[in-house]
Amino acid sequence: MYLNDGDGAFGLKGTVDAGNDPKAIKAADLNGDGNADAVVANDSSGVVTVFIGDGAGGLQEKGTYQAGNRPREIVLPDLDKDGVRDLVVAGGSGSSIIAAFAGEGDGTFSGPDDYTTGPRPNSVDSADFDLDGNADVAAANWSLDNEAQASLSVLFGDGTGTFPAARKIDLVAPGGFRKITVVAAGQLDQVRFIRGDTNGGGTLTITDAILVLKYLFPGGLPSVNLSCLDAADMNDNGKVNVTDAVLILNFLFKQGSPPPAPPYPVPGYDPTPDELGCGT
């Protein structure tokens, strides 16, 4: 462990013993004391080791957990929405599972529940892929024996800490991938925008309302091409109409009017699936 001295240099704080062949580490506050804790995936010993931070750069081992055969990657989402970090481990070589552990809020975990992926899940990450408010998990799988078995598995969470098996998706490219070792999770098909900011200016002005009206009622003038219809949809009802222009004007000039629907006032993603979209 190295501590930052504030000038861009790092000094050695100390070392702690984990398992054999540590391959990955993630840091998060696991027990709610405001200090960073750590979880280490140890490939050769087949376990993950949990350490509790003391707030001064020191770590104390809290426990070890068997996970898969040769765990290679870990992620710490809140799967059951209880405000406590849970633990998901890619099982690695010799397995075809991810292991999901429930966080207890004190730095310990219960479980695991194992979920089938492709062969040799080598990396794992978590995000809300289907925008239902629940954490989902993606695992990158690869096989040295059969390249066609390399795949990406996505498991959709139900908000209770489990993943219905029927909603697992395996995506395999024609002919297979040579190797998948890393997966990064995020909003894969959306563009960030500010609700109501139709011209991309970074804030709401009367111009945004005028652009919506020109888009709806060109009146023989050159039509206005709004690059982000989602931004023009002020009330997030999946449609752009004159009500949206009125809502912008009310928000700007009528005291007590409600603010735009999320995402506002900072850029974000549309929380409601609809047919509208944004350009890049």
Side-chain angles (χ1 to χ4, degrees):
M1 294 172 291
Y2 294 84
L3 299 186
N4 191 332
D5 65 4
D7 293 323
F10 294 84
L12 180 62
K13 172 68 176 181
T15 61
V16 294
D17 291 329
N20 296 328
D21 198 15
K23 290 293 186 182
I25 184 171
K26 285 290 189 301
D29 183 3
L30 302 177
N31 59 358
D33 63 357
N35 300 327
D37 309 309
V39 183
V40 181
N42 306 290
D43 184 294
S44 297
S45 52
V47 299
V48 292
T49 308
V50 178
F51 297 91
I52 299 299
D54 60 10
L59 294 172
Q60 182 69 39
E61 184 176 328
K62 183 70 171 180
T64 60
Y65 301 88
Q66 182 72 39
N69 186 52
R70 300 185 64 174
R72 294 290 300 269
E73 184 62 274
I74 49 185
V75 66
L76 297 166
D78 182 4
L79 299 177
D80 52 6
K81 300 192 288 189
D82 63 354
V84 175
R85 298 273 190 160
D86 304 307
L87 170 64
V88 180
V89 185
S93 176
S95 71
S96 296
I97 59 101
I98 60 169
F101 297 81
E104 299 297 333
D106 59 358
T108 64
F109 296 90
S110 60
D113 293 323
D114 293 340
Y115 296 91
T116 302
T117 61
R120 196 171 183 164
N122 194 63
S123 186
V124 67
D125 209 342
S126 179
D128 182 7
F129 291 115
D130 53 2
L131 301 177
D132 64 353
N134 303 323
D136 309 311
V137 168
N141 318 297
W142 63 279
S143 173
L144 291 177
D145 302 322
N146 185 351
E147 292 179 356
Q149 293 182 17
S151 63
L152 174 68
S153 296
V154 182
L155 292 88
F156 293 94
D158 61 5
T160 68
T162 61
F163 304 93
R167 300 191 67 195
K168 181 178 72 68
I169 302 173
D170 285 326
L171 304 174
V172 182
F177 300 102
R178 288 183 301 168
K179 182 177 178 181
I180 302 179
T181 57
V182 177
V183 58
Q187 303 287 349
L188 301 181
D189 59 354
Q190 287 197 312
V191 175
R192 289 162 58 90
F193 66 95
I194 298 175
R195 183 80 65 184
D197 179 20
T198 61
N199 64 355
T203 186
L204 271 68
T205 68
I206 192 173
T207 301
D208 297 306
I210 292 172
L211 286 175
V212 173
L213 293 173
K214 285 185 175 181
Y215 170 78
L216 294 171
F217 310 108
L221 298 174
S223 61
V224 173
N225 181 23
L226 294 180
S227 63
C228 185
L229 292 177
D230 264 326
D233 182 17
M234 272 284 285
N235 55 5
D236 195 19
N237 66 351
K239 298 178 291 185
V240 177
N241 51 37
V242 70
T243 300
D244 297 305
V246 173
L247 289 173
I248 295 175
L249 293 173
N250 284 345
F251 174 68
L252 291 173
F253 303 111
K254 185 177 179 181
Q255 188 174 4
S257 295
Y264 178 85
V266 296
Y269 303 101
D270 189 358
T272 308
D274 54 44
E275 296 182 357
L276 304 179
C278 289
T280 57

mmCIF file of all heavy atoms in Angstrom, residues 46-100:
data_model
loop_
_atom_site.group_PDB
_atom_site.id
_atom_site.type_symbol
_atom_site.label_atom_id
_atom_site.label_comp_id
_atom_site.label_asym_id
_atom_site.label_seq_id
_atom_site.Cartn_x
_atom_site.Cartn_y
_atom_site.Cartn_z
ATOM 1 N N GLY A 46 -7.925 -19.618 -5.087
ATOM 2 C CA GLY A 46 -9.360 -19.795 -5.290
ATOM 3 C C GLY A 46 -10.243 -19.049 -4.318
ATOM 4 O O GLY A 46 -11.406 -19.408 -4.144
ATOM 5 N N VAL A 47 -9.734 -17.995 -3.679
ATOM 6 C CA VAL A 47 -10.529 -17.275 -2.690
ATOM 7 C C VAL A 47 -10.427 -15.773 -2.933
ATOM 8 O O VAL A 47 -9.514 -15.284 -3.600
ATOM 9 C CB VAL A 47 -10.066 -17.580 -1.246
ATOM 10 C CG1 VAL A 47 -10.210 -19.049 -0.939
ATOM 11 C CG2 VAL A 47 -8.637 -17.110 -1.011
ATOM 12 N N VAL A 48 -11.400 -15.055 -2.371
ATOM 13 C CA VAL A 48 -11.295 -13.608 -2.264
ATOM 14 C C VAL A 48 -11.088 -13.264 -0.798
ATOM 15 O O VAL A 48 -11.651 -13.907 0.092
ATOM 16 C CB VAL A 48 -12.552 -12.893 -2.817
ATOM 17 C CG1 VAL A 48 -12.653 -13.074 -4.313
ATOM 18 C CG2 VAL A 48 -13.812 -13.373 -2.139
ATOM 19 N N THR A 49 -10.241 -12.267 -0.556
ATOM 20 C CA THR A 49 -9.910 -11.860 0.803
ATOM 21 C C THR A 49 -10.425 -10.448 1.035
ATOM 22 O O THR A 49 -10.205 -9.564 0.210
ATOM 23 C CB THR A 49 -8.389 -11.893 1.042
ATOM 24 O OG1 THR A 49 -7.878 -13.171 0.642
ATOM 25 C CG2 THR A 49 -8.068 -11.675 2.505
ATOM 26 N N VAL A 50 -11.101 -10.247 2.164
ATOM 27 C CA VAL A 50 -11.677 -8.950 2.505
ATOM 28 C C VAL A 50 -10.825 -8.304 3.599
ATOM 29 O O VAL A 50 -10.486 -8.942 4.596
ATOM 30 C CB VAL A 50 -13.127 -9.096 2.992
ATOM 31 C CG1 VAL A 50 -13.708 -7.745 3.392
ATOM 32 C CG2 VAL A 50 -13.984 -9.741 1.912
ATOM 33 N N PHE A 51 -10.486 -7.022 3.387
ATOM 34 C CA PHE A 51 -9.723 -6.254 4.360
ATOM 35 C C PHE A 51 -10.524 -5.016 4.756
ATOM 36 O O PHE A 51 -11.133 -4.367 3.908
ATOM 37 C CB PHE A 51 -8.376 -5.818 3.774
ATOM 38 C CG PHE A 51 -7.457 -6.951 3.417
ATOM 39 C CD1 PHE A 51 -7.473 -7.498 2.145
ATOM 40 C CD2 PHE A 51 -6.574 -7.465 4.352
ATOM 41 C CE1 PHE A 51 -6.627 -8.529 1.802
ATOM 42 C CE2 PHE A 51 -5.714 -8.503 4.020
ATOM 43 C CZ PHE A 51 -5.738 -9.039 2.740
ATOM 44 N N ILE A 52 -10.482 -4.676 6.041
ATOM 45 C CA ILE A 52 -11.150 -3.487 6.552
ATOM 46 C C ILE A 52 -10.111 -2.401 6.780
ATOM 47 O O ILE A 52 -9.081 -2.630 7.424
ATOM 48 C CB ILE A 52 -11.906 -3.788 7.863
ATOM 49 C CG1 ILE A 52 -12.975 -4.854 7.615
ATOM 50 C CG2 ILE A 52 -12.533 -2.515 8.427
ATOM 51 C CD1 ILE A 52 -14.020 -4.455 6.604
ATOM 52 N N GLY A 53 -10.380 -1.200 6.226
ATOM 53 C CA GLY A 53 -9.458 -0.089 6.368
ATOM 54 C C GLY A 53 -9.624 0.633 7.691
ATOM 55 O O GLY A 53 -10.728 0.749 8.217
ATOM 56 N N ASP A 54 -8.489 1.149 8.238
ATOM 57 C CA ASP A 54 -8.538 1.867 9.506
ATOM 58 C C ASP A 54 -8.576 3.383 9.332
ATOM 59 O O ASP A 54 -8.559 4.137 10.303
ATOM 60 C CB ASP A 54 -7.342 1.484 10.381
ATOM 61 C CG ASP A 54 -5.995 1.809 9.746
ATOM 62 O OD1 ASP A 54 -5.966 2.499 8.709
ATOM 63 O OD2 ASP A 54 -4.960 1.366 10.291
ATOM 64 N N GLY A 55 -8.618 3.853 8.068
ATOM 65 C CA GLY A 55 -8.667 5.278 7.819
ATOM 66 C C GLY A 55 -7.319 5.948 7.813
ATOM 67 O O GLY A 55 -7.216 7.145 7.516
ATOM 68 N N ALA A 56 -6.275 5.202 8.141
ATOM 69 C CA ALA A 56 -4.922 5.760 8.157
ATOM 70 C C ALA A 56 -4.018 5.043 7.165
ATOM 71 O O ALA A 56 -2.799 5.185 7.230
ATOM 72 C CB ALA A 56 -4.330 5.674 9.564
ATOM 73 N N GLY A 57 -4.626 4.277 6.272
ATOM 74 C CA GLY A 57 -3.846 3.551 5.274
ATOM 75 C C GLY A 57 -3.562 2.115 5.636
ATOM 76 O O GLY A 57 -2.934 1.388 4.860
ATOM 77 N N GLY A 58 -4.019 1.696 6.812
ATOM 78 C CA GLY A 58 -3.812 0.307 7.227
ATOM 79 C C GLY A 58 -5.002 -0.561 6.888
ATOM 80 O O GLY A 58 -6.142 -0.088 6.812
ATOM 81 N N LEU A 59 -4.779 -1.851 6.674
ATOM 82 C CA LEU A 59 -5.828 -2.809 6.356
ATOM 83 C C LEU A 59 -5.722 -4.011 7.285
ATOM 84 O O LEU A 59 -4.623 -4.534 7.522
ATOM 85 C CB LEU A 59 -5.727 -3.280 4.899
ATOM 86 C CG LEU A 59 -5.989 -2.232 3.803
ATOM 87 C CD1 LEU A 59 -5.663 -2.816 2.441
ATOM 88 C CD2 LEU A 59 -7.434 -1.759 3.838
ATOM 89 N N GLN A 60 -6.867 -4.457 7.783
ATOM 90 C CA GLN A 60 -6.927 -5.635 8.653
ATOM 91 C C GLN A 60 -7.820 -6.681 7.998
ATOM 92 O O GLN A 60 -8.945 -6.382 7.595
ATOM 93 C CB GLN A 60 -7.503 -5.260 10.028
ATOM 94 C CG GLN A 60 -7.573 -6.412 11.021
ATOM 95 C CD GLN A 60 -6.215 -6.877 11.491
ATOM 96 O OE1 GLN A 60 -5.334 -6.055 11.709
ATOM 97 N NE2 GLN A 60 -6.027 -8.181 11.633
ATOM 98 N N GLU A 61 -7.298 -7.915 7.881
ATOM 99 C CA GLU A 61 -8.077 -8.969 7.233
ATOM 100 C C GLU A 61 -9.356 -9.245 8.004
ATOM 101 O O GLU A 61 -9.359 -9.401 9.225
ATOM 102 C CB GLU A 61 -7.259 -10.251 7.106
ATOM 103 C CG GLU A 61 -8.004 -11.356 6.351
ATOM 104 C CD GLU A 61 -7.163 -12.601 6.148
ATOM 105 O OE1 GLU A 61 -5.924 -12.482 6.015
ATOM 106 O OE2 GLU A 61 -7.756 -13.704 6.115
ATOM 107 N N LYS A 62 -10.475 -9.315 7.247
ATOM 108 C CA LYS A 62 -11.783 -9.569 7.855
ATOM 109 C C LYS A 62 -12.260 -10.990 7.589
ATOM 110 O O LYS A 62 -12.959 -11.579 8.414
ATOM 111 C CB LYS A 62 -12.802 -8.574 7.306
ATOM 112 C CG LYS A 62 -14.196 -8.682 7.911
ATOM 113 C CD LYS A 62 -14.207 -8.207 9.340
ATOM 114 C CE LYS A 62 -15.632 -8.114 9.880
ATOM 115 N NZ LYS A 62 -15.683 -7.662 11.275
ATOM 116 N N GLY A 63 -11.926 -11.529 6.422
ATOM 117 C CA GLY A 63 -12.369 -12.888 6.112
ATOM 118 C C GLY A 63 -11.991 -13.276 4.698
ATOM 119 O O GLY A 63 -11.577 -12.450 3.883
ATOM 120 N N THR A 64 -12.117 -14.570 4.396
ATOM 121 C CA THR A 64 -11.868 -15.092 3.052
ATOM 122 C C THR A 64 -13.077 -15.904 2.610
ATOM 123 O O THR A 64 -13.788 -16.499 3.426
ATOM 124 C CB THR A 64 -10.609 -15.977 2.996
ATOM 125 O OG1 THR A 64 -10.782 -17.098 3.884
ATOM 126 C CG2 THR A 64 -9.372 -15.208 3.402
ATOM 127 N N TYR A 65 -13.294 -15.935 1.286
ATOM 128 C CA TYR A 65 -14.465 -16.599 0.729
ATOM 129 C C TYR A 65 -14.062 -17.349 -0.537
ATOM 130 O O TYR A 65 -13.413 -16.784 -1.418
ATOM 131 C CB TYR A 65 -15.556 -15.578 0.402
ATOM 132 C CG TYR A 65 -16.000 -14.777 1.593
ATOM 133 C CD1 TYR A 65 -15.334 -13.591 1.934
ATOM 134 C CD2 TYR A 65 -17.063 -15.186 2.392
ATOM 135 C CE1 TYR A 65 -15.725 -12.849 3.035
ATOM 136 C CE2 TYR A 65 -17.461 -14.444 3.488
ATOM 137 C CZ TYR A 65 -16.784 -13.277 3.815
ATOM 138 O OH TYR A 65 -17.164 -12.541 4.912
ATOM 139 N N GLN A 66 -14.462 -18.611 -0.612
ATOM 140 C CA GLN A 66 -14.246 -19.392 -1.821
ATOM 141 C C GLN A 66 -15.173 -18.880 -2.921
ATOM 142 O O GLN A 66 -16.372 -18.655 -2.685
ATOM 143 C CB GLN A 66 -14.541 -20.877 -1.558
ATOM 144 C CG GLN A 66 -14.298 -21.789 -2.742
ATOM 145 C CD GLN A 66 -12.826 -21.977 -3.042
ATOM 146 O OE1 GLN A 66 -12.020 -22.077 -2.125
ATOM 147 N NE2 GLN A 66 -12.469 -22.025 -4.327
ATOM 148 N N ALA A 67 -14.613 -18.685 -4.107
ATOM 149 C CA ALA A 67 -15.415 -18.137 -5.202
ATOM 150 C C ALA A 67 -14.919 -18.694 -6.521
ATOM 151 O O ALA A 67 -13.846 -18.314 -6.991
ATOM 152 C CB ALA A 67 -15.353 -16.615 -5.207
ATOM 153 N N GLY A 68 -15.689 -19.601 -7.118
ATOM 154 C CA GLY A 68 -15.263 -20.199 -8.373
ATOM 155 C C GLY A 68 -14.046 -21.084 -8.178
ATOM 156 O O GLY A 68 -13.804 -21.610 -7.088
ATOM 157 N N ASN A 69 -13.274 -21.220 -9.243
ATOM 158 C CA ASN A 69 -12.086 -22.056 -9.177
ATOM 159 C C ASN A 69 -10.808 -21.224 -9.059
ATOM 160 O O ASN A 69 -9.997 -21.430 -8.162
ATOM 161 C CB ASN A 69 -12.009 -22.953 -10.419
ATOM 162 C CG ASN A 69 -10.878 -23.944 -10.355
ATOM 163 O OD1 ASN A 69 -10.745 -24.669 -9.366
ATOM 164 N ND2 ASN A 69 -10.045 -23.989 -11.380
ATOM 165 N N ARG A 70 -10.691 -20.240 -9.946
ATOM 166 C CA ARG A 70 -9.536 -19.342 -9.918
ATOM 167 C C ARG A 70 -10.024 -17.922 -10.168
ATOM 168 O O ARG A 70 -9.948 -17.411 -11.284
ATOM 169 C CB ARG A 70 -8.493 -19.766 -10.956
ATOM 170 C CG ARG A 70 -7.964 -21.163 -10.757
ATOM 171 C CD ARG A 70 -6.850 -21.510 -11.739
ATOM 172 N NE ARG A 70 -5.676 -20.665 -11.541
ATOM 173 C CZ ARG A 70 -4.525 -20.846 -12.188
ATOM 174 N NH1 ARG A 70 -4.412 -21.815 -13.083
ATOM 175 N NH2 ARG A 70 -3.508 -20.046 -11.966
ATOM 176 N N PRO A 71 -10.588 -17.277 -9.139
ATOM 177 C CA PRO A 71 -11.217 -15.957 -9.319
ATOM 178 C C PRO A 71 -10.238 -14.936 -9.890
ATOM 179 O O PRO A 71 -9.104 -14.827 -9.437
ATOM 180 C CB PRO A 71 -11.667 -15.583 -7.905
ATOM 181 C CG PRO A 71 -10.833 -16.424 -6.990
ATOM 182 C CD PRO A 71 -10.582 -17.696 -7.728
ATOM 183 N N ARG A 72 -10.729 -14.182 -10.884
ATOM 184 C CA ARG A 72 -9.861 -13.259 -11.588
ATOM 185 C C ARG A 72 -10.300 -11.807 -11.483
ATOM 186 O O ARG A 72 -9.514 -10.912 -11.732
ATOM 187 C CB ARG A 72 -9.793 -13.652 -13.079
ATOM 188 C CG ARG A 72 -9.116 -14.985 -13.341
ATOM 189 C CD ARG A 72 -7.632 -14.898 -13.069
ATOM 190 N NE ARG A 72 -6.969 -13.918 -13.883
ATOM 191 C CZ ARG A 72 -6.413 -14.167 -15.070
ATOM 192 N NH1 ARG A 72 -6.431 -15.386 -15.558
ATOM 193 N NH2 ARG A 72 -5.820 -13.201 -15.765
ATOM 194 N N GLU A 73 -11.568 -11.563 -11.186
ATOM 195 C CA GLU A 73 -12.059 -10.175 -11.162
ATOM 196 C C GLU A 73 -13.236 -10.077 -10.210
ATOM 197 O O GLU A 73 -13.957 -11.063 -9.975
ATOM 198 C CB GLU A 73 -12.476 -9.750 -12.573
ATOM 199 C CG GLU A 73 -12.921 -8.306 -12.700
ATOM 200 C CD GLU A 73 -11.836 -7.311 -12.355
ATOM 201 O OE1 GLU A 73 -11.718 -7.011 -11.149
ATOM 202 O OE2 GLU A 73 -11.125 -6.839 -13.267
ATOM 203 N N ILE A 74 -13.430 -8.887 -9.639
ATOM 204 C CA ILE A 74 -14.493 -8.671 -8.665
ATOM 205 C C ILE A 74 -15.149 -7.315 -8.928
ATOM 206 O O ILE A 74 -14.556 -6.422 -9.530
ATOM 207 C CB ILE A 74 -13.956 -8.699 -7.220
ATOM 208 C CG1 ILE A 74 -12.719 -7.796 -7.097
ATOM 209 C CG2 ILE A 74 -13.664 -10.097 -6.765
ATOM 210 C CD1 ILE A 74 -12.042 -7.843 -5.763
ATOM 211 N N VAL A 75 -16.392 -7.185 -8.463
ATOM 212 C CA VAL A 75 -17.109 -5.913 -8.541
ATOM 213 C C VAL A 75 -17.998 -5.836 -7.304
ATOM 214 O O VAL A 75 -18.410 -6.862 -6.757
ATOM 215 C CB VAL A 75 -17.925 -5.813 -9.851
ATOM 216 C CG1 VAL A 75 -19.049 -6.832 -9.891
ATOM 217 C CG2 VAL A 75 -18.448 -4.409 -10.062
ATOM 218 N N LEU A 76 -18.278 -4.599 -6.850
ATOM 219 C CA LEU A 76 -18.972 -4.405 -5.576
ATOM 220 C C LEU A 76 -20.227 -3.544 -5.756
ATOM 221 O O LEU A 76 -20.306 -2.418 -5.258
ATOM 222 C CB LEU A 76 -18.028 -3.743 -4.568
ATOM 223 C CG LEU A 76 -16.787 -4.551 -4.185
ATOM 224 C CD1 LEU A 76 -15.769 -3.673 -3.460
ATOM 225 C CD2 LEU A 76 -17.181 -5.731 -3.297
ATOM 226 N N PRO A 77 -21.242 -4.044 -6.456
ATOM 227 C CA PRO A 77 -22.491 -3.278 -6.624
ATOM 228 C C PRO A 77 -23.415 -3.482 -5.420
ATOM 229 O O PRO A 77 -23.145 -4.303 -4.537
ATOM 230 C CB PRO A 77 -23.091 -3.914 -7.876
ATOM 231 C CG PRO A 77 -22.663 -5.353 -7.773
ATOM 232 C CD PRO A 77 -21.286 -5.339 -7.139
ATOM 233 N N ASP A 78 -24.497 -2.724 -5.377
ATOM 234 C CA ASP A 78 -25.564 -2.948 -4.403
ATOM 235 C C ASP A 78 -26.686 -3.683 -5.124
ATOM 236 O O ASP A 78 -27.533 -3.069 -5.763
ATOM 237 C CB ASP A 78 -26.053 -1.619 -3.835
ATOM 238 C CG ASP A 78 -27.145 -1.793 -2.771
ATOM 239 O OD1 ASP A 78 -27.454 -2.949 -2.424
ATOM 240 O OD2 ASP A 78 -27.688 -0.769 -2.308
ATOM 241 N N LEU A 79 -26.696 -4.993 -5.024
ATOM 242 C CA LEU A 79 -27.621 -5.806 -5.807
ATOM 243 C C LEU A 79 -29.044 -5.772 -5.273
ATOM 244 O O LEU A 79 -29.992 -5.908 -6.048
ATOM 245 C CB LEU A 79 -27.127 -7.259 -5.851
ATOM 246 C CG LEU A 79 -25.755 -7.504 -6.490
ATOM 247 C CD1 LEU A 79 -25.383 -8.980 -6.380
ATOM 248 C CD2 LEU A 79 -25.751 -7.060 -7.949
ATOM 249 N N ASP A 80 -29.210 -5.646 -3.960
ATOM 250 C CA ASP A 80 -30.552 -5.718 -3.384
ATOM 251 C C ASP A 80 -31.052 -4.367 -2.879
ATOM 252 O O ASP A 80 -32.066 -4.303 -2.176
ATOM 253 C CB ASP A 80 -30.602 -6.747 -2.259
ATOM 254 C CG ASP A 80 -29.502 -6.533 -1.226
ATOM 255 O OD1 ASP A 80 -28.772 -5.526 -1.333
ATOM 256 O OD2 ASP A 80 -29.366 -7.377 -0.322
ATOM 257 N N LYS A 81 -30.346 -3.286 -3.218
ATOM 258 C CA LYS A 81 -30.780 -1.918 -2.940
ATOM 259 C C LYS A 81 -31.029 -1.659 -1.452
ATOM 260 O O LYS A 81 -31.944 -0.934 -1.071
ATOM 261 C CB LYS A 81 -32.022 -1.571 -3.772
ATOM 262 C CG LYS A 81 -31.776 -1.661 -5.268
ATOM 263 C CD LYS A 81 -32.887 -1.055 -6.095
ATOM 264 C CE LYS A 81 -34.132 -1.889 -6.088
ATOM 265 N NZ LYS A 81 -35.131 -1.406 -7.065
ATOM 266 N N ASP A 82 -30.164 -2.249 -0.600
ATOM 267 C CA ASP A 82 -30.259 -2.007 0.833
ATOM 268 C C ASP A 82 -29.223 -1.011 1.318
ATOM 269 O O ASP A 82 -29.085 -0.786 2.531
ATOM 270 C CB ASP A 82 -30.134 -3.310 1.614
ATOM 271 C CG ASP A 82 -28.780 -3.994 1.430
ATOM 272 O OD1 ASP A 82 -27.969 -3.521 0.600
ATOM 273 O OD2 ASP A 82 -28.528 -5.008 2.111
ATOM 274 N N GLY A 83 -28.479 -0.387 0.383
ATOM 275 C CA GLY A 83 -27.460 0.581 0.751
ATOM 276 C C GLY A 83 -26.145 -0.027 1.162
ATOM 277 O O GLY A 83 -25.229 0.689 1.574
ATOM 278 N N VAL A 84 -26.006 -1.340 1.030
ATOM 279 C CA VAL A 84 -24.791 -2.059 1.416
ATOM 280 C C VAL A 84 -24.160 -2.683 0.180
ATOM 281 O O VAL A 84 -24.880 -3.262 -0.655
ATOM 282 C CB VAL A 84 -25.100 -3.156 2.462
ATOM 283 C CG1 VAL A 84 -23.858 -3.976 2.780
ATOM 284 C CG2 VAL A 84 -25.659 -2.528 3.724
ATOM 285 N N ARG A 85 -22.857 -2.579 0.065
ATOM 286 C CA ARG A 85 -22.163 -3.179 -1.071
ATOM 287 C C ARG A 85 -22.226 -4.702 -1.008
ATOM 288 O O ARG A 85 -21.994 -5.311 0.035
ATOM 289 C CB ARG A 85 -20.696 -2.759 -1.074
ATOM 290 C CG ARG A 85 -20.483 -1.258 -1.220
ATOM 291 C CD ARG A 85 -20.441 -0.851 -2.658
ATOM 292 N NE ARG A 85 -20.005 0.538 -2.798
ATOM 293 C CZ ARG A 85 -19.512 1.055 -3.899
ATOM 294 N NH1 ARG A 85 -19.373 0.296 -4.972
ATOM 295 N NH2 ARG A 85 -19.142 2.319 -3.948
ATOM 296 N N ASP A 86 -22.565 -5.312 -2.148
ATOM 297 C CA ASP A 86 -22.498 -6.757 -2.292
ATOM 298 C C ASP A 86 -21.258 -7.099 -3.117
ATOM 299 O O ASP A 86 -20.535 -6.212 -3.573
ATOM 300 C CB ASP A 86 -23.776 -7.272 -2.959
ATOM 301 C CG ASP A 86 -25.028 -6.849 -2.197
ATOM 302 O OD1 ASP A 86 -25.084 -7.105 -0.988
ATOM 303 O OD2 ASP A 86 -25.928 -6.245 -2.804
ATOM 304 N N LEU A 87 -20.998 -8.371 -3.296
ATOM 305 C CA LEU A 87 -19.766 -8.820 -3.946
ATOM 306 C C LEU A 87 -20.096 -9.811 -5.050
ATOM 307 O O LEU A 87 -20.833 -10.774 -4.828
ATOM 308 C CB LEU A 87 -18.846 -9.485 -2.911
ATOM 309 C CG LEU A 87 -17.616 -10.227 -3.406
ATOM 310 C CD1 LEU A 87 -16.642 -9.286 -4.094
ATOM 311 C CD2 LEU A 87 -16.937 -10.949 -2.244
ATOM 312 N N VAL A 88 -19.576 -9.550 -6.255
ATOM 313 C CA VAL A 88 -19.733 -10.468 -7.375
ATOM 314 C C VAL A 88 -18.338 -10.819 -7.882
ATOM 315 O O VAL A 88 -17.510 -9.925 -8.098
ATOM 316 C CB VAL A 88 -20.574 -9.859 -8.504
ATOM 317 C CG1 VAL A 88 -20.711 -10.852 -9.663
ATOM 318 C CG2 VAL A 88 -21.954 -9.463 -7.990
ATOM 319 N N VAL A 89 -18.078 -12.112 -8.077
ATOM 320 C CA VAL A 89 -16.748 -12.601 -8.433
ATOM 321 C C VAL A 89 -16.824 -13.420 -9.714
ATOM 322 O O VAL A 89 -17.687 -14.294 -9.850
ATOM 323 C CB VAL A 89 -16.155 -13.479 -7.306
ATOM 324 C CG1 VAL A 89 -14.723 -13.876 -7.632
ATOM 325 C CG2 VAL A 89 -16.223 -12.759 -5.964
ATOM 326 N N ALA A 90 -15.930 -13.126 -10.663
ATOM 327 C CA ALA A 90 -15.794 -13.962 -11.855
ATOM 328 C C ALA A 90 -14.994 -15.203 -11.483
ATOM 329 O O ALA A 90 -13.871 -15.100 -10.991
ATOM 330 C CB ALA A 90 -15.091 -13.188 -12.967
ATOM 331 N N GLY A 91 -15.574 -16.389 -11.730
ATOM 332 C CA GLY A 91 -15.000 -17.636 -11.237
ATOM 333 C C GLY A 91 -13.691 -18.038 -11.865
ATOM 334 O O GLY A 91 -12.948 -18.836 -11.296
ATOM 335 N N GLY A 92 -13.386 -17.545 -13.073
ATOM 336 C CA GLY A 92 -12.087 -17.801 -13.687
ATOM 337 C C GLY A 92 -11.940 -19.174 -14.294
ATOM 338 O O GLY A 92 -12.922 -19.900 -14.539
ATOM 339 N N SER A 93 -10.699 -19.552 -14.547
ATOM 340 C CA SER A 93 -10.369 -20.809 -15.212
ATOM 341 C C SER A 93 -10.923 -22.007 -14.449
ATOM 342 O O SER A 93 -10.884 -22.054 -13.224
ATOM 343 C CB SER A 93 -8.848 -20.925 -15.338
ATOM 344 O OG SER A 93 -8.481 -22.164 -15.883
ATOM 345 N N GLY A 94 -11.464 -22.964 -15.194
ATOM 346 C CA GLY A 94 -11.981 -24.182 -14.579
ATOM 347 C C GLY A 94 -13.386 -24.055 -14.054
ATOM 348 O O GLY A 94 -13.895 -24.980 -13.412
ATOM 349 N N SER A 95 -14.054 -22.923 -14.311
ATOM 350 C CA SER A 95 -15.424 -22.753 -13.849
ATOM 351 C C SER A 95 -16.238 -22.093 -14.948
ATOM 352 O O SER A 95 -15.704 -21.622 -15.947
ATOM 353 C CB SER A 95 -15.481 -21.886 -12.579
ATOM 354 O OG SER A 95 -15.186 -20.537 -12.883
ATOM 355 N N SER A 96 -17.543 -22.088 -14.768
ATOM 356 C CA SER A 96 -18.460 -21.417 -15.690
ATOM 357 C C SER A 96 -19.504 -20.653 -14.887
ATOM 358 O O SER A 96 -20.688 -20.663 -15.193
ATOM 359 C CB SER A 96 -19.145 -22.426 -16.612
ATOM 360 O OG SER A 96 -18.219 -23.064 -17.449
ATOM 361 N N ILE A 97 -19.041 -19.975 -13.831
ATOM 362 C CA ILE A 97 -19.989 -19.286 -12.957
ATOM 363 C C ILE A 97 -19.440 -17.928 -12.523
ATOM 364 O O ILE A 97 -18.232 -17.671 -12.569
ATOM 365 C CB ILE A 97 -20.307 -20.125 -11.693
ATOM 366 C CG1 ILE A 97 -19.018 -20.410 -10.880
ATOM 367 C CG2 ILE A 97 -20.997 -21.420 -12.051
ATOM 368 C CD1 ILE A 97 -18.817 -19.538 -9.687
ATOM 369 N N ILE A 98 -20.380 -17.061 -12.131
ATOM 370 C CA ILE A 98 -20.038 -15.938 -11.284
ATOM 371 C C ILE A 98 -20.648 -16.225 -9.922
ATOM 372 O O ILE A 98 -21.711 -16.850 -9.820
ATOM 373 C CB ILE A 98 -20.539 -14.593 -11.829
ATOM 374 C CG1 ILE A 98 -22.067 -14.588 -11.964
ATOM 375 C CG2 ILE A 98 -19.864 -14.251 -13.146
ATOM 376 C CD1 ILE A 98 -22.639 -13.208 -12.240
ATOM 377 N N ALA A 99 -19.952 -15.799 -8.869
ATOM 378 C CA ALA A 99 -20.413 -16.013 -7.506
ATOM 379 C C ALA A 99 -20.876 -14.687 -6.927
ATOM 380 O O ALA A 99 -20.131 -13.709 -6.939
ATOM 381 C CB ALA A 99 -19.300 -16.604 -6.650
ATOM 382 N N ALA A 100 -22.125 -14.639 -6.433
ATOM 383 C CA ALA A 100 -22.697 -13.420 -5.874
ATOM 384 C C ALA A 100 -22.840 -13.585 -4.361
ATOM 385 O O ALA A 100 -23.472 -14.533 -3.886
ATOM 386 C CB ALA A 100 -24.049 -13.116 -6.511
#
